[in-house]
Amino acid sequence: ETQSGSVGMPKNVDWVSLIRESKTMIAAVNVAAVGIGITMILPFDIIMASKKAKFGMFFIQMGLVPELASSHFLVQRMGFGKASEMCLSGRLVGAEEAKEANLIDFLCSEETLLNDALEKAELIGNNPGPQLKMVKELLTKNGSEIDLNKAQERESELLRECWKTDEHKEAVKRFVTKSS
């Protein structure tokens, strides 16, 4: 059985938590991402697409509503008006319009998409793992937090944890060695 009845995520999989609590996730879209194809990638950290990619929130045309917290992530990525138009019209959006609307983060050629995504992943992956996980947690929780004191409390709590880590101590040593 699935969350949406007959198709989609298995009922016992919390996709959004899985993605937000995992290592850095980069989507590389080279075709049409519609329905669950788009809702699955909206919680990813970075969405890259080739110029031939297309995106659609067709739920309204099928007599359905969005799934997998996509009504949240789409608004965060695109803003309220553009997310509303995309969901309420159900139209297909081309890659260039998607980039202009901030639905996707990087637009690449079809030939370089996968390599560009792997390079981005390597750049990110060279950073300390525990801190990458902490930053993802902060972005997830603070991204739509309206209480700025609460946002700062979360940051301060994790910053205090970072100061105790080997990763931070090693980075300070490298910095001091470079500076002298």
Side-chain angles (χ1 to χ4, degrees), residues 50-113:
S50 79
K51 293 175 182 169
K52 80 173 198 178
K54 292 178 174 36
F55 302 87
M57 295 288 287
F58 293 164
F59 299 97
I60 194 77
Q61 294 178 3
M62 305 306 290
L64 299 171
V65 297
E67 62 186 349
L68 299 177
S70 59
S71 56
H72 167 81
F73 288 109
L74 204 63
V75 170
Q76 279 207 315
R77 286 185 173 279
M78 301 177 74
F80 186 79
K82 288 178 181 164
S84 293
E85 190 274 337
M86 190 170 178
C87 289
L88 296 172
S89 72
R91 73 180 175 87
L92 200 59
V93 174
E96 291 184 12
E97 181 184 350
K99 171 65 176 95
E100 190 176 299
N102 294 320
L103 171 58
I104 62 173
D105 305 302
F106 298 93
L107 187 58
C108 310
S109 73
E110 187 180 344
E111 299 77 31
T112 66
L113 174 64

Side-chain angles (χ1 to χ4, degrees), residues 16-35:
V16 174
S17 293
L18 183 68
I19 296 304
R20 294 311 310 151
E21 294 169 7
S22 75
K23 292 183 177 189
T24 303
M25 299 293 288
I26 299 174
V29 182
N30 205 19
V31 294
V34 298

Side-chain angles (χ1 to χ4, degrees), residues 150-164:
K150 183 68 180 165
Q152 289 182 88
E153 285 172 20
R154 288 184 186 117
E155 292 167 345
S156 294
E157 180 182 330
L158 291 179
L159 194 54
R160 285 190 295 275
E161 278 186 46
C162 287
W163 289 333
K164 301 172 194 169

